[in-house]
Amino acid sequence: MLPSRKSLRLDIVEAAEPSAPPLIDRLRAPDYDTVNAARHELFQRGSSTCIALLNHPDPKVRSSAAQVLGWYKDPANNDALIARFDDPDRYVRMSAIYSVGFSSDPSRIPNVERKLADRDPSVQSVASETLWRLRRSGEGASD
């Protein structure tokens, strides 16, 4: 039996230079510089890899994947990000909401408005800021 496309993408994510820890381990690292370098590497691997990692068991990995998806500023990634709006981890929710704002897609305003009632005040704050960006982009203003 051949592996699925999703498992092949995750195998690719786990592959790394022999001298470097695997990408997943670096996304979980305790120091910002290591995590940030891993995020940039993840960006180079493409949005499909990020989308696959949104379902990773570790919330640090999911949060980084959501954050990196925002860097593409592509509305096509919004459905995958919105699916993480109800993630059990608040950092994943915050990253997903914030990243939707970079797409400049005002049609996603109702999805983000729903998170103004999130159980976590930090998530509510990110939703408020994201709504401001989406509404502003709908008015034709640029950041």
Side-chain angles (χ1 to χ4, degrees):
M1 176 185 223
L2 294 173
S4 71
R5 289 180 72 178
K6 185 175 179 180
S7 70
L8 283 175
R9 272 185 283 178
L10 290 175
D11 289 343
I12 291 168
V13 168
E14 293 289 350
E17 301 280 330
S19 61
L23 179 61
I24 299 296
D25 291 342
R26 288 181 283 130
L27 289 170
R28 295 177 182 156
D31 65 289
Y32 175 80
D33 290 336
T34 300
V35 173
N36 197 44
R39 287 175 179 154
H40 284 278
E41 182 181 333
L42 180 57
F43 180 80
Q44 295 301 315
R45 293 181 186 214
S47 61
S48 62
T49 302
C50 294
I51 290 169
L53 289 178
L54 288 174
N55 295 309
H56 194 276
D58 189 322
K60 286 184 178 181
V61 174
R62 293 194 310 274
S63 179
S64 286
Q67 184 176 27
V68 172
L69 270 176
W71 297 354
Y72 292 101
K73 299 181 179 182
D74 185 353
N77 295 328
N78 283 346
D79 287 337
L81 289 165
I82 289 168
R84 293 284 94 196
F85 277 18
D86 294 317
D87 193 278
D89 185 84
R90 73 177 176 156
Y91 296 107
V92 176
R93 295 194 309 274
M94 289 174 10
S95 294
I97 293 164
Y98 197 76
S99 288
V100 165
F102 287 116
S103 70
S104 300
D105 182 2
S107 72
R108 299 311 182 144
I109 288 173
N111 300 101
V112 177
E113 283 178 331
R114 180 174 61 85
K115 296 314 293 177
L116 291 172
D118 192 274
R119 64 187 173 275
D120 188 291
S122 298
V123 175
Q124 295 171 11
S125 178
V126 170
S128 179
E129 180 180 342
T130 300
L131 282 170
W132 178 83
R133 282 190 287 136
L134 288 173
R135 288 179 177 134
R136 194 164 171 232
S137 67
E139 297 168 359
S142 61
D143 289 331

CSV table of all heavy atoms in Angstrom, one decimal, residues 31-72:
chain,number,residue,atom,x,y,z
A,31,ASP,N,13.6,28.5,22.3
A,31,ASP,CA,14.1,29.9,22.0
A,31,ASP,C,13.5,30.4,20.7
A,31,ASP,O,13.4,29.7,19.7
A,31,ASP,CB,15.6,29.9,22.0
A,31,ASP,CG,16.2,29.0,20.8
A,31,ASP,OD1,16.1,27.8,20.9
A,31,ASP,OD2,16.7,29.6,19.9
A,32,TYR,N,13.3,31.7,20.7
A,32,TYR,CA,12.6,32.4,19.6
A,32,TYR,C,13.4,32.3,18.3
A,32,TYR,O,12.8,32.1,17.2
A,32,TYR,CB,12.4,33.9,19.9
A,32,TYR,CG,11.8,34.7,18.8
A,32,TYR,CD1,10.5,34.6,18.5
A,32,TYR,CD2,12.7,35.4,18.0
A,32,TYR,CE1,9.9,35.3,17.4
A,32,TYR,CE2,12.1,36.1,16.9
A,32,TYR,CZ,10.8,36.0,16.6
A,32,TYR,OH,10.2,36.7,15.5
A,33,ASP,N,14.7,32.4,18.3
A,33,ASP,CA,15.5,32.4,17.1
A,33,ASP,C,15.4,31.1,16.4
A,33,ASP,O,15.3,31.1,15.1
A,33,ASP,CB,17.0,32.8,17.4
A,33,ASP,CG,17.2,34.2,17.8
A,33,ASP,OD1,16.3,35.1,17.5
A,33,ASP,OD2,18.2,34.5,18.5
A,34,THR,N,15.4,30.0,17.1
A,34,THR,CA,15.3,28.7,16.5
A,34,THR,C,13.9,28.5,15.9
A,34,THR,O,13.8,28.1,14.7
A,34,THR,CB,15.6,27.6,17.5
A,34,THR,OG1,16.9,27.7,18.0
A,34,THR,CG2,15.5,26.2,16.9
A,35,VAL,N,12.9,28.9,16.6
A,35,VAL,CA,11.5,28.8,16.1
A,35,VAL,C,11.3,29.7,14.9
A,35,VAL,O,10.8,29.2,13.9
A,35,VAL,CB,10.5,29.1,17.2
A,35,VAL,CG1,9.1,29.1,16.6
A,35,VAL,CG2,10.6,28.1,18.3
A,36,ASN,N,11.8,30.9,14.9
A,36,ASN,CA,11.7,31.8,13.8
A,36,ASN,C,12.4,31.3,12.6
A,36,ASN,O,11.8,31.4,11.4
A,36,ASN,CB,12.1,33.2,14.2
A,36,ASN,CG,11.6,34.2,13.3
A,36,ASN,OD1,10.4,34.2,12.9
A,36,ASN,ND2,12.4,35.2,12.8
A,37,ALA,N,13.6,30.8,12.7
A,37,ALA,CA,14.3,30.2,11.5
A,37,ALA,C,13.5,29.0,11.0
A,37,ALA,O,13.4,28.9,9.7
A,37,ALA,CB,15.7,29.8,11.9
A,38,ALA,N,12.9,28.2,11.9
A,38,ALA,CA,12.1,27.1,11.4
A,38,ALA,C,10.9,27.5,10.7
A,38,ALA,O,10.5,26.9,9.7
A,38,ALA,CB,11.8,26.2,12.6
A,39,ARG,N,10.3,28.6,11.1
A,39,ARG,CA,9.1,29.2,10.4
A,39,ARG,C,9.5,29.6,9.0
A,39,ARG,O,8.7,29.4,8.1
A,39,ARG,CB,8.5,30.3,11.2
A,39,ARG,CG,7.8,29.9,12.5
A,39,ARG,CD,7.3,31.0,13.3
A,39,ARG,NE,6.6,30.6,14.5
A,39,ARG,CZ,6.5,31.3,15.6
A,39,ARG,NH1,7.1,32.5,15.7
A,39,ARG,NH2,5.9,30.8,16.6
A,40,HIS,N,10.6,30.3,8.9
A,40,HIS,CA,11.0,30.7,7.6
A,40,HIS,C,11.3,29.5,6.6
A,40,HIS,O,11.0,29.5,5.5
A,40,HIS,CB,12.3,31.6,7.7
A,40,HIS,CG,11.9,33.0,8.1
A,40,HIS,ND1,11.4,34.0,7.3
A,40,HIS,CD2,11.9,33.5,9.4
A,40,HIS,CE1,11.2,35.1,8.0
A,40,HIS,NE2,11.5,34.8,9.3
A,41,GLU,N,11.8,28.4,7.2
A,41,GLU,CA,12.0,27.2,6.4
A,41,GLU,C,10.7,26.6,6.0
A,41,GLU,O,10.5,26.2,4.9
A,41,GLU,CB,12.8,26.2,7.2
A,41,GLU,CG,13.1,24.9,6.4
A,41,GLU,CD,13.9,23.9,7.2
A,41,GLU,OE1,14.7,24.3,8.1
A,41,GLU,OE2,13.7,22.7,6.9
A,42,LEU,N,9.7,26.6,7.0
A,42,LEU,CA,8.4,26.1,6.7
A,42,LEU,C,7.8,26.9,5.5
A,42,LEU,O,7.1,26.4,4.6
A,42,LEU,CB,7.5,26.2,7.9
A,42,LEU,CG,6.1,25.7,7.9
A,42,LEU,CD1,6.0,24.3,7.3
A,42,LEU,CD2,5.4,25.8,9.2
A,43,PHE,N,7.9,28.2,5.6
A,43,PHE,CA,7.4,29.1,4.5
A,43,PHE,C,7.9,28.7,3.1
A,43,PHE,O,7.2,28.6,2.1
A,43,PHE,CB,7.7,30.6,4.8
A,43,PHE,CG,7.2,31.5,3.7
A,43,PHE,CD1,5.9,31.9,3.7
A,43,PHE,CD2,8.1,32.0,2.8
A,43,PHE,CE1,5.5,32.8,2.8
A,43,PHE,CE2,7.6,32.9,1.8
A,43,PHE,CZ,6.3,33.3,1.8
A,44,GLN,N,9.2,28.4,3.1
A,44,GLN,CA,9.8,27.9,1.8
A,44,GLN,C,9.3,26.6,1.3
A,44,GLN,O,9.3,26.3,0.1
A,44,GLN,CB,11.4,27.8,2.0
A,44,GLN,CG,12.0,29.1,2.3
A,44,GLN,CD,11.8,30.2,1.2
A,44,GLN,OE1,11.9,29.8,0.0
A,44,GLN,NE2,11.5,31.4,1.6
A,45,ARG,N,8.8,25.8,2.2
A,45,ARG,CA,8.2,24.5,1.8
A,45,ARG,C,6.8,24.6,1.2
A,45,ARG,O,6.4,23.6,0.6
A,45,ARG,CB,8.3,23.5,3.0
A,45,ARG,CG,9.7,23.2,3.4
A,45,ARG,CD,9.7,22.3,4.6
A,45,ARG,NE,11.1,22.1,5.0
A,45,ARG,CZ,11.5,20.9,5.5
A,45,ARG,NH1,10.7,19.9,5.6
A,45,ARG,NH2,12.8,20.8,5.9
A,46,GLY,N,6.2,25.7,1.4
A,46,GLY,CA,4.9,25.9,0.8
A,46,GLY,C,3.7,25.8,1.7
A,46,GLY,O,3.7,25.2,2.8
A,47,SER,N,2.6,26.4,1.2
A,47,SER,CA,1.4,26.5,2.0
A,47,SER,C,0.8,25.1,2.2
A,47,SER,O,0.1,24.9,3.3
A,47,SER,CB,0.4,27.4,1.4
A,47,SER,OG,0.0,27.0,0.1
A,48,SER,N,0.9,24.2,1.3
A,48,SER,CA,0.3,22.8,1.5
A,48,SER,C,0.9,22.1,2.7
A,48,SER,O,0.3,21.4,3.4
A,48,SER,CB,0.4,22.0,0.3
A,48,SER,OG,1.8,21.7,-0.1
A,49,THR,N,2.2,22.4,2.9
A,49,THR,CA,2.9,21.8,4.1
A,49,THR,C,2.4,22.4,5.4
A,49,THR,O,2.1,21.8,6.4
A,49,THR,CB,4.4,22.0,4.0
A,49,THR,OG1,4.9,21.3,2.8
A,49,THR,CG2,5.1,21.3,5.2
A,50,CYS,N,2.2,23.8,5.3
A,50,CYS,CA,1.6,24.5,6.5
A,50,CYS,C,0.2,23.9,6.8
A,50,CYS,O,-0.1,23.7,8.0
A,50,CYS,CB,1.5,26.0,6.2
A,50,CYS,SG,3.1,26.8,6.1
A,51,ILE,N,-0.6,23.8,5.8
A,51,ILE,CA,-2.0,23.3,6.0
A,51,ILE,C,-2.0,21.9,6.6
A,51,ILE,O,-2.7,21.6,7.5
A,51,ILE,CB,-2.8,23.3,4.7
A,51,ILE,CG1,-3.0,24.8,4.3
A,51,ILE,CG2,-4.1,22.6,4.8
A,51,ILE,CD1,-3.6,25.0,2.9
A,52,ALA,N,-1.1,21.0,6.2
A,52,ALA,CA,-0.9,19.7,6.8
A,52,ALA,C,-0.6,19.8,8.2
A,52,ALA,O,-1.1,19.0,9.1
A,52,ALA,CB,0.1,18.9,6.0
A,53,LEU,N,0.3,20.7,8.6
A,53,LEU,CA,0.7,20.9,10.0
A,53,LEU,C,-0.3,21.5,10.9
A,53,LEU,O,-0.1,21.5,12.1
A,53,LEU,CB,2.1,21.6,10.0
A,53,LEU,CG,3.3,20.9,9.5
A,53,LEU,CD1,4.5,21.7,9.5
A,53,LEU,CD2,3.5,19.6,10.3
A,54,LEU,N,-1.3,22.1,10.3
A,54,LEU,CA,-2.4,22.6,11.2
A,54,LEU,C,-3.1,21.5,12.0
A,54,LEU,O,-3.8,21.8,13.0
A,54,LEU,CB,-3.5,23.3,10.4
A,54,LEU,CG,-3.0,24.7,9.8
A,54,LEU,CD1,-4.1,25.2,8.8
A,54,LEU,CD2,-2.7,25.7,10.9
A,55,ASN,N,-2.9,20.3,11.6
A,55,ASN,CA,-3.5,19.1,12.3
A,55,ASN,C,-2.5,18.4,13.2
A,55,ASN,O,-2.8,17.3,13.7
A,55,ASN,CB,-4.1,18.2,11.3
A,55,ASN,CG,-5.3,18.8,10.6
A,55,ASN,OD1,-6.2,19.4,11.3
A,55,ASN,ND2,-5.3,18.8,9.3
A,56,HIS,N,-1.3,18.9,13.3
A,56,HIS,CA,-0.3,18.3,14.2
A,56,HIS,C,-0.7,18.2,15.6
A,56,HIS,O,-1.4,19.1,16.1
A,56,HIS,CB,1.1,19.1,14.0
A,56,HIS,CG,2.2,18.3,14.5
A,56,HIS,ND1,2.6,18.3,15.9
A,56,HIS,CD2,3.1,17.5,13.9
A,56,HIS,CE1,3.7,17.6,16.0
A,56,HIS,NE2,4.0,17.1,14.9
A,57,PRO,N,-0.3,17.2,16.3
A,57,PRO,CA,-0.8,17.1,17.7
A,57,PRO,C,-0.2,18.2,18.7
A,57,PRO,O,-0.8,18.5,19.7
A,57,PRO,CB,-0.3,15.7,18.2
A,57,PRO,CG,0.4,15.1,17.1
A,57,PRO,CD,0.4,16.0,15.9
A,58,ASP,N,0.9,18.7,18.3
A,58,ASP,CA,1.6,19.7,19.2
A,58,ASP,C,1.0,21.1,18.9
A,58,ASP,O,1.2,21.6,17.7
A,58,ASP,CB,3.1,19.7,19.0
A,58,ASP,CG,3.8,20.5,20.0
A,58,ASP,OD1,3.3,21.6,20.4
A,58,ASP,OD2,4.9,20.1,20.5
A,59,PRO,N,0.5,21.8,19.9
A,59,PRO,CA,-0.1,23.2,19.6
A,59,PRO,C,1.0,24.2,19.1
A,59,PRO,O,0.7,25.1,18.4
A,59,PRO,CB,-0.7,23.6,20.9
A,59,PRO,CG,-0.2,22.7,21.9
A,59,PRO,CD,0.2,21.4,21.2
A,60,LYS,N,2.3,24.0,19.6
A,60,LYS,CA,3.3,24.9,19.1
A,60,LYS,C,3.5,24.8,17.6
A,60,LYS,O,3.7,25.8,16.9
A,60,LYS,CB,4.6,24.6,19.8
A,60,LYS,CG,4.7,25.1,21.2
A,60,LYS,CD,6.1,24.8,21.8
A,60,LYS,CE,6.2,25.3,23.2
A,60,LYS,NZ,7.5,25.1,23.8
A,61,VAL,N,3.4,23.6,17.1
A,61,VAL,CA,3.5,23.3,15.6
A,61,VAL,C,2.3,23.9,14.9
A,61,VAL,O,2.5,24.6,13.9
A,61,VAL,CB,3.7,21.8,15.3
A,61,VAL,CG1,3.7,21.6,13.8
A,61,VAL,CG2,5.0,21.3,16.0
A,62,ARG,N,1.1,23.7,15.4
A,62,ARG,CA,-0.1,24.2,14.8
A,62,ARG,C,-0.1,25.7,14.8
A,62,ARG,O,-0.4,26.3,13.8
A,62,ARG,CB,-1.3,23.7,15.5
A,62,ARG,CG,-1.6,22.2,15.4
A,62,ARG,CD,-3.0,21.8,15.9
A,62,ARG,NE,-3.4,22.3,17.1
A,62,ARG,CZ,-3.2,21.7,18.3
A,62,ARG,NH1,-2.5,20.6,18.4
A,62,ARG,NH2,-3.7,22.2,19.4
A,63,SER,N,0.4,26.3,15.9
A,63,SER,CA,0.4,27.8,15.9
A,63,SER,C,1.4,28.4,14.9
A,63,SER,O,1.1,29.3,14.2
A,63,SER,CB,0.8,28.2,17.4
A,63,SER,OG,0.9,29.6,17.4
A,64,SER,N,2.6,27.8,14.8
A,64,SER,CA,3.5,28.2,13.8
A,64,SER,C,3.0,28.0,12.4
A,64,SER,O,3.2,28.9,11.6
A,64,SER,CB,4.9,27.5,14.0
A,64,SER,OG,5.6,27.9,15.1
A,65,ALA,N,2.4,26.9,12.1
A,65,ALA,CA,1.8,26.7,10.8
A,65,ALA,C,0.8,27.7,10.5
A,65,ALA,O,0.7,28.3,9.3
A,65,ALA,CB,1.2,25.3,10.7
A,66,ALA,N,-0.1,28.1,11.4
A,66,ALA,CA,-1.1,29.1,11.2
A,66,ALA,C,-0.5,30.4,10.9
A,66,ALA,O,-0.9,31.2,10.1
A,66,ALA,CB,-2.1,29.1,12.4
A,67,GLN,N,0.6,30.8,11.7
A,67,GLN,CA,1.2,32.0,11.6
A,67,GLN,C,1.9,32.1,10.2
A,67,GLN,O,1.8,33.1,9.5
A,67,GLN,CB,2.3,32.2,12.7
A,67,GLN,CG,3.0,33.5,12.6
A,67,GLN,CD,3.9,33.7,13.8
A,67,GLN,OE1,4.5,32.7,14.3
A,67,GLN,NE2,4.2,34.9,14.2
A,68,VAL,N,2.6,31.1,9.8
A,68,VAL,CA,3.2,31.1,8.5
A,68,VAL,C,2.2,31.2,7.3
A,68,VAL,O,2.5,31.9,6.3
A,68,VAL,CB,4.2,29.9,8.3
A,68,VAL,CG1,4.7,29.7,6.9
A,68,VAL,CG2,5.3,29.9,9.4
A,69,LEU,N,1.1,30.5,7.5
A,69,LEU,CA,0.1,30.6,6.4
A,69,LEU,C,-0.3,32.1,6.2
A,69,LEU,O,-0.6,32.5,5.0
A,69,LEU,CB,-1.1,29.8,6.8
A,69,LEU,CG,-1.1,28.4,6.3
A,69,LEU,CD1,-2.4,27.6,6.8
A,69,LEU,CD2,-1.0,28.3,4.8
A,70,GLY,N,-0.3,32.9,7.2
A,70,GLY,CA,-0.6,34.3,7.0
A,70,GLY,C,0.4,35.1,6.2
A,70,GLY,O,0.1,36.0,5.5
A,71,TRP,N,1.6,34.6,6.2
A,71,TRP,CA,2.7,35.3,5.5
A,71,TRP,C,2.4,35.2,4.0
A,71,TRP,O,2.9,36.1,3.2
A,71,TRP,CB,4.0,34.7,5.8
A,71,TRP,CG,4.5,34.8,7.2
A,71,TRP,CD1,3.9,35.5,8.2
A,71,TRP,CD2,5.7,34.2,7.7
A,71,TRP,NE1,4.7,35.4,9.3
A,71,TRP,CE2,5.7,34.6,9.1
A,71,TRP,CE3,6.7,33.4,7.2
A,71,TRP,CZ2,6.7,34.2,9.9
A,71,TRP,CZ3,7.7,32.9,8.1
A,71,TRP,CH2,7.7,33.4,9.4
A,72,TYR,N,1.7,34.2,3.5
A,72,TYR,CA,1.3,34.1,2.1
A,72,TYR,C,0.3,35.1,1.6
A,72,TYR,O,0.3,35.4,0.4
A,72,TYR,CB,0.8,32.7,1.8
A,72,TYR,CG,1.8,31.6,1.9
A,72,TYR,CD1,1.9,30.8,3.0
A,72,TYR,CD2,2.8,31.4,0.9
A,72,TYR,CE1,2.8,29.8,3.2
A,72,TYR,CE2,3.7,30.4,1.0
A,72,TYR,CZ,3.7,29.6,2.2
A,72,TYR,OH,4.7,28.6,2.3
